[in-house]
């Protein structure tokens, strides 16, 4: 998987993956911090703006959409959910 921040593009197996701006930002954050567990609160703080409501399901919904798109592009199970702890991008 390749992420080009300058062009705002993600390629999986050489093919472009169509991500929303927030999905792209979330994937970029995970790729900058692989194998690190991130709570929903931490993701809201670093990926969303200061006006994001911490009591919404926005992180869960965005992650679900990102996972589906990555899976459709050939990268299933890349982002793990660790119940009670958060989410992690597996580097291997």
């Amino acid at each position: 998987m390749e992420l080009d921040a300058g062009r705002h593009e993600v390629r999986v197996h050489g093919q472009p993956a169509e991500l929303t701006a927030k999905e792209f930002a979330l994937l970029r954050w995970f790729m900058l911090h692989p194998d690190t567990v991130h709570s929903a609160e931490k993701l809201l703080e670093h990926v969303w703006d200061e006006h994001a409501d911490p009591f919404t399901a926005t992180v869960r919904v965005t992650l679900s959409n990102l996972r589906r798109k990555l899976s459709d592009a050939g990268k299933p199970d890349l982002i793990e959910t660790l119940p009670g702890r958060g989410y992690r991008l597996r580097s291997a």
Side-chain angles (χ1 to χ4, degrees), residues 2-66:
E2 302 168 37
L3 185 141
D4 185 332
R7 292 184 176 183
H8 207 268
E9 292 179 347
V10 174
R11 293 190 171 276
V12 178
H13 302 298
Q15 299 300 313
E18 299 297 325
L19 303 181
T20 67
K22 201 51 72 180
E23 292 163 353
F24 182 89
L26 187 57
L27 180 59
R28 184 172 184 263
W29 177 261
F30 276 123
M31 289 180 78
L32 288 171
H33 307 92
D35 296 317
T36 302
V37 178
H38 305 279
S39 68
E41 293 82 12
K42 184 176 181 179
L43 293 171
L44 278 171
E45 179 182 331
H46 292 284
V47 178
W48 277 260
D49 64 23
E50 66 275 1
H51 302 294
D53 182 354
F55 300 106
T56 67
T58 190
V59 171
R60 186 175 39 82
V61 170
T62 304
L63 271 168
S64 176
N65 291 335
L66 176 59

Side-chain angles (χ1 to χ4, degrees), residues 65-77:
N65 291 335
L66 176 59
R67 282 181 171 138
R68 180 181 42 78
K69 290 177 181 182
L70 292 176
S71 181
D72 289 349
K75 285 288 190 183
D77 304 323

